[in-house]
Amino acid sequence: MTFSIVGQVGDGFGVAVASKFPFVGAVVPQARLGVGAVATQAMARVGYRSVALDALAAGASADEAVVACTSSDDEREHRQLGVVGVDSQATYTGGSCMDWAGGVSGRESTGGYAIQGNILTGPEVVAAMEAAWLGSAGASLTDRLIEALLAGDAAGGDSRGRQGAALYAVLPGAGYDHCGVLADLRVDDHADAPRELARLLRLNDLVFGGPELVLPWSGESDEPHAPSEPVTLADEVGRRLARLGHHGEVTQALASWAGEANYEMRLAPDGIDSKVLAALRDATRTPNLT
């Protein structure tokens, strides 16, 4: 009743999942810093998550972690599991899972992945997810996870429809107060849960991500202005901040507004993060403002 991807990009591990099942984020995904990630589904056994991660932490491979979960479980034929560790990956589908059910796992230069699903419209769902994951090489872990999930949804996804989705990912030093949680998002009851999850991920990235593409204050603004009157990025940002009630030196005014908008983790000393600039422009968008 669910499709998921467990993925690794360098030191980051995460899971994205969608289902015609509410509160799927409470059941399926888990990840642990420096260890790996796991998804348990079909007739999910929540205890598989800690068993698999403990096995990985003790030095077991992903295949061995699957065995640790399933070997003593009389209901294993009804369960599905995806596991990715530091240097291994595995997917497991019990023979009694409801059609269509199956999975695929593999490894690339940045890490491993495991994709699995049950009660799907067909094998094209898993194939589309794998193609999206491999085709997004170079992007961030969370961007790759959500792209794969959306590809699976577009290919048919859960044959019963949409309701729940979740994404959980960890990366050393990431997240609020650098706690290591890159994303912890759930959509518990929504008619288009995968796309709502994607929307929340964009917001999560803006609030909890660090500076990425930092544009220098001295650079010329790309907003419309008279050719004879060059406008620096500092000029544009200062005017926009003033319209929002934040006056004075541009870096101080930006810090004041960013604190209100919860973007303070993206502040940079020598310019403005491109995503913060886009948010500021959205917040001050009027036909006559340059």
Side-chain angles (χ1 to χ4, degrees):
M1 57 186 172
T2 301
F3 56 102
S4 69
I5 175 167
V6 186
Q8 173 192 10
V9 174
D11 293 332
F13 295 93
V15 181
V17 56
S19 179
K20 183 63 174 74
F21 184 89
F23 314 110
V24 69
V27 176
V28 173
Q30 190 55 270
R32 189 181 299 173
L33 283 168
V35 175
V38 58
T40 174
Q41 56 197 53
M43 195 170 79
R45 187 167 190 172
V46 176
Y48 275 6
R49 301 186 305 187
S50 60
V51 171
L53 291 171
D54 286 347
L56 292 175
S61 68
D63 282 323
E64 291 168 337
V66 169
V67 171
C69 291
T70 60
S71 59
S72 62
D73 181 8
D74 293 339
E75 300 294 334
R76 59 185 174 272
E77 293 302 317
H78 298 277
R79 307 199 199 278
Q80 203 167 38
L81 183 65
V83 181
V84 173
V86 172
D87 55 8
S88 61
Q89 60 284 326
T91 185
Y92 167 83
T93 299
S96 297
C97 289
M98 298 176 67
D99 287 336
W100 186 89
V104 63
S105 64
R107 180 158 288 265
E108 52 183 349
S109 61
T110 57
Y113 62 91
I115 300 167
Q116 45 282 316
N118 61 92
I119 320 185
L120 304 183
T121 57
E124 65 275 5
V125 176
V126 168
M129 293 175 72
E130 183 178 35
W133 174 264
L134 295 174
S136 62
S140 70
L141 170 62
T142 52
D143 282 348
R144 297 185 73 184
L145 290 172
I146 200 66
E147 285 302 316
L149 195 73
L150 291 175
D153 182 65
D158 190 321
S159 62
R160 303 165 306 158
R162 304 174 178 90
Q163 189 166 4
L167 191 153
Y168 186 80
V170 297
L171 178 70
Y176 190 78
D177 198 30
H178 310 291
C179 65
V181 178
L182 185 60
D184 184 1
L185 307 174
R186 285 172 46 172
V187 178
D188 288 335
D189 184 18
H190 194 282
D192 197 356
R195 293 200 174 278
E196 175 63 7
L197 184 68
R199 185 189 70 81
L200 291 177
L201 179 60
R202 289 192 296 272
L203 181 60
N204 177 89
D205 184 45
L206 184 58
V207 172
F208 292 121
E212 294 178 67
L213 176 59
V214 177
L215 305 173
W217 293 122
S218 59
E220 185 174 346
S221 169
D222 59 6
E223 289 289 274
H225 58 269
S228 60
E229 299 177 2
V231 176
T232 67
L233 200 55
D235 294 332
E236 178 199 341
V237 169
R239 287 203 300 268
R240 290 184 180 277
L241 290 169
R243 291 192 65 127
L244 296 174
H246 298 274
H247 303 275
E249 194 274 328
V250 66
T251 59
Q252 295 178 3
L254 179 61
S256 176
W257 174 74
E260 289 184 0
N262 299 313
Y263 302 150
E264 60 267 29
M265 289 187 65
R266 283 190 171 272
L267 291 176
D270 52 355
I272 183 169
D273 174 82
S274 60
K275 293 183 179 180
V276 173
L277 176 60
L280 177 61
R281 286 173 172 171
D282 286 343
T284 54
R285 187 73 66 188
T286 64
N288 297 322
L289 183 60
T290 62

